[in-house]
Amino acid sequence: MSRRRPAAARSPVRSNPRSRAVGLKDSEARLRLLAGQIPARIGVIDPELRIVWDAGAGFPELGKIAGKRVAEVLDGSPDRERILEALHKTLSGTSGQIEVAIAGRHAQIHLDPFRNKQGEIIGAVGVGLDITDRVRAENALRKSERLLRQAEALGHTGSWEQDLLTGEIFNTTENLRLWFGDDQSKGKRLEDYVEAVHPDDRAQVLQWRQQLLDQGRPSDVEFRIVWRDGSVHWNFGRATVIRGAAGKPVRLYGTNVDVTERKRAEEELARRERQQAAIAQLSLSALRPEGLQPLFDEAVALVAKTLRIEHCMVMEAHPEDSALRFRAAAGPWKEDLIARVTVSMAPGFMGWFSMKAEAPVVIADLPSETRFVPCEILLGHGVKSGINVPISGRERPFGVLGAHSTRPRTFSPDEVNFVWAMANVLATSIEQTRATSELAEKREQLQALSRKLIEAQEAERRAVARELHDDFGQVLTALKLNLQRHEGDQAESIALVDGAIERMRDLAQDLRPPLLDELGLEASLRWFVEREARRAGLEFHLGLAPLERRPPPSLETTCFRVAQEALTNVIRHAQARRVEVELRAEGDQLQLTVRDEGKGFDVAAARKRAARGGSQGLLSMQERVALAGGELEIDSAKDRGTTVRARLPLADGARP
């Protein structure tokens, strides 16, 4: 039996070059088949940047590129220079990776040096992966994130998340802005958020967080945040909790929304509702017949409460003293100070400025005010800001309604208009009270005048009866006796008749002078003044300017009776030595002036007596002038004499 040699001892089989080539081609075919199953492209580039081998299913748009130069393949690509630069680095021995755009797609190319057995670089191997779908997804994600950030910014909405195990807090950019404004140093610690909450809301927010952790249900909360610059912002927060397998909270997440504008709108609406309710309440109170003082007290209380200010007051003007006095006050005023102190209305002072203003006077910083001299009383009470509104009147402002704060404050337009509206309610009520008082006074005057008229008529009848009985009765009796005596003296009878006629003429002229109808107002005044002044022993001066047209009869009668009454008062009461009577036309008015240098009298007291029926002459002049549509002015004081001036409208019916 023959023995075989061991395998190791067998002589090696020499490989056939032809069989090696066949094997290499077979391996290449298998490599191409494998590369064709994946979305990639594999290529070998020689030192001259020519593609010597290419395989793979990726980037079919490139077609067959083996044998082409890289620069030719990349013609038109925006990343051509970057790829060429990367290839040069790879041929220098540096591997690398680059993301580029090729043939309308996105590629990630891995480049490595290609070495021979001696380790020399003879080319570069590149593997290009098609990452178009990934890039598109990343772009879509970035776009979504950008849109989310924009939506958060537009909607003032932020999102957050906290890992309860590590304490780490994650925020969107808008959420950090909602909490801290432009302060980028905050937001990493939970304490940052606690400190940012308004001190008055901090306990509420901490309690809400604890309840959220305990109960685990989504929960809402509204609170204020204070930024570094001191501005206050309202935040609406909603959050929920995630629990682990053991039921322990492991994560919190939620959203925040800036609701400052909504809160401001709600506060604005509530503020205006309070203002309208206060105006309505004061208007209703003004209709009650309780007088002005309760209305003033209610007004200052309503203004102080509605505006949430410390001090409010109503001050009444006293022009005779050039001062304002307190009528009502709300707030911590010093009682004794208010009762005895007045506010100056001298030019340049705050009271004068407020009374002269045609609109509300808004005071931003009273101590540094330059438009007027600040009120010492307000400064003494620590007032910083305020509103002063003149309480208007028919002839002059009644006074001032003031609303003041001890804290620097900017008053909104609606708050200023509110104080103005309250002042207008007071002004209307004051004028209504004045009108009611004047109407009652006129009614009393009319009643007194009616009584006095009846009394005057009776007195006139008695005087006429007495004159007829005493004078004419005696004359007629003497005449009768003379006629009964046949030897009677006819001359004596004629003298008696002449005397009776003269007395009758005087009596008729006292009742109504015929000159007034025949020759007019000027001649009648001249006759009357000369006669009465001579009778009383008065010096007199007449300044009767010629009238272009004769006034209507009713106006002549009114003017004559006023002069008659004024001159009678001079003779009876003035103890004067001289009297002046002037008459002239001024524009569309007729002006009569009666002036003396007697002892004078208290005009206000006389008017009050006239209102009660105690001064018939003054009341008669007032009523006559008022009925003619004119004005009666009486200027008098003790030891300064008296001037009575009547201005009467010249009607279109004036006679030539």
Side-chain angles (χ1 to χ4, degrees), residues 108-129:
Q108 186 181 74
I109 301 176
H110 298 267
L111 295 173
D112 290 294
F114 186 54
R115 303 174 184 272
N116 58 19
K117 293 181 179 180
Q118 289 75 29
E120 299 172 346
I121 298 175
I122 60 173
V125 177
V127 178
L129 301 177

Side-chain angles (χ1 to χ4, degrees), residues 234-427:
W234 276 95
N235 183 70
F236 171 81
R238 172 171 292 176
T240 190
V241 61
I242 297 177
R243 299 181 180 275
K248 182 180 179 181
V250 296
R251 190 173 294 273
L252 281 174
Y253 67 91
T255 60
N256 290 303
V257 181
D258 187 339
V259 294
T260 303
E261 293 302 322
R262 190 201 80 195
K263 279 292 186 178
R264 287 175 179 170
E266 291 175 353
E267 291 173 357
E268 177 75 10
L269 180 61
R271 183 168 63 247
R272 295 199 177 191
E273 287 178 351
R274 292 196 301 269
Q275 294 171 2
Q276 293 172 1
I279 295 171
Q281 181 177 336
L282 190 66
S283 300
L284 290 175
S285 298
L287 300 176
R288 303 190 188 106
E290 298 178 357
L292 291 177
Q293 190 56 49
L295 191 68
F296 292 155
D297 294 335
E298 184 176 13
V300 295
L302 284 173
V303 171
K305 179 181 178 182
T306 303
L307 295 184
R308 297 171 181 172
I309 56 174
E310 294 82 4
H311 297 89
C312 185
M313 77 283 193
V314 170
M315 305 196 77
E316 182 179 3
H318 292 262
E320 67 278 6
D321 300 332
S322 188
L324 290 162
R325 289 188 173 88
F326 281 87
R327 282 294 301 269
W333 297 93
K334 301 173 184 177
E335 295 288 343
D336 57 334
L337 186 67
I338 292 177
R340 60 183 173 81
V341 172
T342 60
V343 175
S344 175
M345 286 200 308
F349 282 78
M350 183 175 179
W352 170 84
F353 189 87
S354 299
M355 289 286 289
K356 294 293 183 181
E358 296 181 357
V361 178
V362 181
I363 304 150
D365 185 9
L366 183 62
S368 61
E369 185 61 63
T370 58
R371 294 172 294 176
F372 47 76
V373 177
C375 174
E376 291 296 333
I377 295 178
L378 295 179
L379 290 176
H381 284 79
V383 168
K384 296 292 188 298
S385 305
I387 306 170
N388 272 2
V389 181
I391 303 173
S392 60
R394 184 175 57 190
E395 298 177 356
R396 58 175 176 80
F398 169 83
V400 174
L401 172 63
H404 300 280
S405 173
T406 56
R407 293 168 292 129
R409 177 168 172 176
T410 301
F411 292 95
S412 63
D414 69 278
E415 290 174 327
V416 175
N417 290 333
F418 164 68
V419 180
W420 200 353
M422 296 291 278
N424 287 337
V425 173
L426 294 180

Side-chain angles (χ1 to χ4, degrees), residues 133-150:
D133 292 340
R134 191 200 78 185
V135 170
R136 288 175 179 174
E138 290 176 350
N139 290 339
L141 180 60
R142 281 193 291 269
K143 183 177 180 180
S144 298
E145 290 176 348
R146 184 175 66 256
L147 291 175
L148 178 60
R149 287 194 299 270
Q150 292 175 350

